[in-house]
Amino acid sequence: MTNQVSEFPTERTFQYQHSLPPLPVPSLEGSLAKYLDAVRPFATEEEYQVTAAVVKRFGEGIGKDLHQKLLQRARTRRNWLEDWWLDAAYLELRYPSQLNVNFGGPAPYLEHCWPPTEGVQLQRTSISMWHTLQYWDLLRTERLDPHKAGNVVLDMDQFRMLFCTCKVPGVTKDTIINYFKTESEGPCPSHVLVMCKGRFFSFDAVCDGHILTPPELLRQLTHVKQCCEGEPAGDGVAALTSEERTLWAKAREYLIGIDPANKTILETIQSSLFVVSLDDAKPYVTREALTGDPTIRWGDKSYNSLSFADGTFGSNCDHAPYDAMVLVTQGYYVDQQLKATDGKWKGSETVRPMPLPEELVFTVDDRVRSDVAHAKQQYFETDLQVVCYAFTSFGKAAIKQRKLHPDTFIQLALQLAYYRQHGRLGSCYETAMTRRFYHGRTETMRPCTLEAQNWCHTMLLPAASVSAEAKRKALLLAFNKHNKLMAEAQNGKGFDRHLLGLYLIAKEEGLPMPDLFTDPLYSKSGGGGNFTLSTSLVGYTTVLGAVAPMVHHGYGFFYRIGDDSLTSKHTHIHTH
């Protein structure tokens, strides 16, 4: 990621898409054996024997039939999971996306380039926008280097979803609309949406074939700000995107019904490159990125760039079209460009003649105002607690010096911390990337292993009863097991997505739900999205972000690993 753009690129961004291998289907025996191993830490001996019998019946009976049907599906699709995953993990969910699904975080340049400063909001926003537009142009012209893991090419399809993409609510299921095209594919929308005080403005970010410069972008942003200063706030229609999905879908249908012009406005928002939110808040950025004002961000857009009054920045993004690594890559690109220029624009100050931003004004009535008020009420009643903590005693360098994997180190430390805090183990999800396969996204890696459990027990024994060597031996066994499971998950040999596929085939065919999925240990160990700990390594860059926990009594734990520090951002959610 450090060398994202070659000066003279020899490889196009999307050139390897058609040569990537299809997503494999793991063996049924292997998946069931791994599942039994994963539930073991959460079971008494009696509970485990019951579950083992359930799994045996499944593997010899209905599971075998479902697996054959899954293999048949995989023969006609390069990624048998893709559509299912979108639907089950995102599009069919009915609870509000904006706090429960979206991810967000502070912009990395806060730390070394743009500390909080009064009076620079619009100037900094114009420069940040310019670098973001350069990144869009890199994707349009396919000059962004394809990602690789060593010599293995990784799927880049998700990068098509960063710009000009929006989720649209449906009564029973949402859809994703993507307007992005590469230069060779044809024209692509080039307008940006700016939101300020509950109002919407749009302008083209390209003039005469050239991206607007920071001085030109500043002129457009200044106009928006001047239109809103001293004026009443707008109707805040954007708050509807934070509503329960079916309610939002019906509110959207009603909006279109009362005035066809509202449909045009919605389409302008949906097709925009991205949203720039001009926020009057002087925030604790890590919290506001997830929980800020719902009237000045479009929760269904693939990218909301949040600009705060103190010159700091954040982001809020719909998770359905892509995973966080897309925004991590973009954020790190902007971060490095700003660092190289000391956050300043050193080009021409000339501002070309161009149209001013156009305000987009929805036609609303009392029902729409009531819908907006209800959306805001339910949004503010959900309490997402966010904590960002930097540990500076050591980091990646010290961990690797001891020949340990930094990510595994954090995961085991997390297990021990949860055990100490709650007196029991926490079912845990860690993101494993499957991008070496066509349209691959993620697999579940479960860090709470028997070996991790044994190490936690060993660490909590009285010092006099256990030697340092015994602790070290238990630690290395836990490390090796974690690394093995992660490698298998990344290579298409995890079991959670496989079990999901079997579950969905049974559901689609109207079959009785197999006992495997109703067995108490299935959900107790995290199955069906019931993980108490939802965790992910954001990477080894300056970028940090967060997503809400999977369950109300759980934690979201997202962390980056620097050479000499470890920074975590964890979330906890509950509803009044």
Side-chain angles (χ1 to χ4, degrees):
M1 199 180 288
T2 51
N3 299 305
Q4 294 184 11
V5 185
S6 302
E7 190 173 351
F8 303 104
T10 57
E11 299 172 307
R12 299 189 318 281
T13 306
F14 304 110
Q15 80 174 65
Y16 296 113
Q17 288 303 112
H18 296 296
S19 61
L20 290 164
L23 184 71
V25 178
S27 74
L28 181 61
E29 297 77 11
S31 288
L32 293 180
K34 286 172 185 173
Y35 169 69
L36 274 177
D37 197 39
V39 304
R40 195 73 182 85
F42 303 94
T44 63
E45 184 58 35
E46 185 180 349
E47 288 170 334
Y48 179 75
Q49 291 305 326
V50 171
T51 296
V54 168
V55 170
K56 188 172 187 292
R57 286 197 304 273
F58 179 82
E60 294 172 350
I62 184 65
K64 193 179 290 185
D65 297 335
L66 296 174
H67 182 69
Q68 288 304 314
K69 289 175 180 177
L70 181 57
L71 289 173
Q72 189 176 345
R73 176 186 173 93
R75 281 193 280 273
T76 60
R77 290 170 170 82
R78 292 182 65 190
N79 188 312
W80 57 265
L81 176 65
E82 184 177 12
D83 295 339
W84 272 347
W85 180 248
L86 259 182
D87 290 349
Y90 300 110
L91 302 182
E92 291 176 350
L93 300 180
R94 296 294 86 196
Y95 50 70
S97 294
Q98 198 157 311
L99 284 178
N100 296 286
V101 178
N102 287 25
F103 60 83
Y109 21 96
L110 169 70
E111 296 184 5
H112 56 69
C113 191
W114 282 348
T117 307
E118 295 296 319
V120 297
Q121 180 186 25
L122 299 187
Q123 180 191 19
R124 287 182 178 180
T125 303
S126 68
I127 296 172
S128 174
M129 282 182 72
W130 185 80
H131 286 297
T132 300
L133 290 165
Q134 297 304 309
Y135 195 80
W136 165 67
D137 191 56
L138 289 174
L139 289 172
R140 276 270 291 156
T141 55
E142 295 195 69
R143 288 179 293 130
L144 186 73
D145 291 341
H147 288 185
K148 296 179 181 179
N151 293 321
V152 178
V153 175
L154 302 180
D155 186 275
M156 295 294 287
D157 184 68
Q158 292 179 59
F159 283 81
R160 301 179 65 92
M161 301 291 175
L162 177 58
F163 298 107
C164 307
T165 303
C166 195
K167 187 166 68 183
V168 176
V171 173
T172 59
K173 175 184 167 183
D174 299 344
T175 54
I176 294 173
I177 300 182
N178 174 244
Y179 302 82
F180 174 82
K181 288 184 179 179
T182 63
E183 209 169 51
S184 63
E185 292 168 342
C188 175
S190 56
H191 62 284
V192 175
L193 190 80
V194 181
M195 297 177 66
C196 183
K197 292 192 174 180
R199 294 165 67 179
F200 302 84
F201 298 82
S202 175
F203 66 87
D204 202 320
V206 175
C207 178
D208 297 329
H210 296 283
I211 289 171
L212 270 56
T213 64
E216 291 169 338
L217 292 166
L218 177 61
R219 182 247 201 179
Q220 303 293 66
L221 295 172
T222 301
H223 175 78
V224 170
K225 200 75 172 175
Q226 288 173 344
C227 285
C228 296
E229 278 179 358
E231 296 295 320
D235 293 304
V237 171
L240 295 172
T241 66
S242 70
E243 182 60 279
E244 188 270 347
R245 301 306 295 175
T246 298
L247 290 179
W248 165 211
K250 291 177 178 177
R252 184 179 182 276
E253 287 176 357
Y254 182 77
L255 256 182
I256 292 171
I258 60 174
D259 187 347
N262 285 343
K263 183 178 181 183
T264 304
I265 295 173
L266 287 166
E267 289 171 348
T268 301
I269 294 169
Q270 289 161 193
S271 61
S272 63
L273 281 168
F274 56 97
V275 172
V276 175
S277 168
L278 298 179
D279 199 326
D280 288 336
K282 297 174 184 177
Y284 168 44
V285 182
T286 53
R287 182 179 65 242
E288 293 294 320
L290 283 178
T291 64
D293 186 349
T295 69
I296 52 170
R297 61 187 68 179
W298 197 262
D300 292 344
K301 277 296 285 182
S302 57
Y303 180 32
N304 289 268
S305 175
L306 313 178
S307 167
F308 298 110
D310 62 355
T312 59
F313 293 84
S315 61
N316 186 283
C317 310
D318 178 35
H319 206 328
Y322 61 82
D323 298 315
M325 59 82 199
V326 172
L327 198 73
V328 168
T329 308
Q330 183 270 339
Y332 190 58
Y333 168 84
V334 175
D335 180 61
Q336 295 302 97
Q337 297 301 311
L338 288 170
K339 195 173 181 181
T341 57
D342 199 28
K344 295 182 174 62
W345 168 248
K346 299 175 182 178
S348 169
E349 295 294 327
T350 302
V351 176
R352 293 169 288 173
M354 65 188 69
L356 289 168
E358 175 192 2
E359 183 167 9
L360 311 176
V361 183
F362 282 100
T363 300
V364 301
D365 60 12
D366 287 343
R367 175 177 161 177
V368 175
R369 294 186 189 97
S370 175
D371 288 343
V372 169
H374 182 271
K376 289 165 71 173
Q377 180 184 359
Q378 69 81 23
Y379 179 86
F380 288 119
E381 282 179 354
T382 303
D383 183 13
L384 181 67
Q385 300 167 348
V386 184
V387 175
C388 187
Y389 178 74
F391 175 84
T392 56
S393 298
F394 60 85
K396 179 177 67 174
I399 299 169
K400 292 190 75 171
Q401 198 173 36
R402 288 155 179 81
K403 296 183 171 51
L404 299 173
H405 195 297
D407 176 60
T408 311
F409 182 95
I410 298 293
Q411 285 291 334
L412 288 173
L414 180 59
Q415 285 293 320
L416 182 59
Y418 187 90
Y419 197 101
R420 281 177 165 158
Q421 180 71 22
H422 295 279
R424 64 182 186 276
L425 292 166
S427 60
C428 185
Y429 161 93
E430 182 183 5
T431 305
M433 179 189 70
T434 55
R435 287 174 59 210
R436 60 190 62 204
F437 303 106
Y438 178 78
H439 287 190
R441 289 188 62 163
T442 61
E443 172 62 271
T444 298
M445 187 271 153
R446 299 198 187 194
C448 188
T449 62
L450 278 172
E451 290 79 0
Q453 180 186 47
N454 182 57
W455 174 67
C456 289
H457 287 164
T458 304
M459 290 296 290
L460 294 177
L461 289 172
S465 65
V466 61
S467 66
E469 181 57 30
K471 292 179 179 178
R472 183 177 177 277
K473 185 177 179 181
L475 175 69
L476 291 178
L477 286 172
F479 256 90
N480 293 337
K481 181 62 171 286
H482 187 104
N483 294 344
K484 176 176 179 287
L485 291 177
M486 177 58 80
E488 288 173 348
Q490 291 174 339
N491 282 291
K493 296 178 181 176
F495 70 85
D496 272 276
R497 302 292 186 265
H498 186 191
L499 292 185
L500 174 66
L502 302 178
Y503 169 87
L504 290 173
I505 287 179
K507 185 179 175 184
E508 282 184 2
E509 301 207 350
L511 299 172
M513 191 49 58
D515 293 347
L516 175 72
F517 303 109
T518 57
D519 180 65
L521 275 185
Y522 182 71
S523 57
K524 187 177 179 182
S525 64
N530 288 291
F531 292 100
T532 305
L533 293 163
S534 175
T535 75
S536 191
L537 168 64
V538 180
Y540 300 92
T541 71
T542 51
V543 182
L544 185 62
V547 184
M550 291 185 180
V551 292
H552 279 234
H553 57 281
Y555 300 88
F557 188 86
F558 303 85
Y559 53 96
R560 69 170 183 224
I561 305 176
D563 284 343
D564 302 305
S565 64
L566 310 166
T567 309
S568 72
K569 184 172 176 183
H570 64 268
T571 54
H572 182 68
I573 191 168
H574 68 271
T575 306
H576 296 300

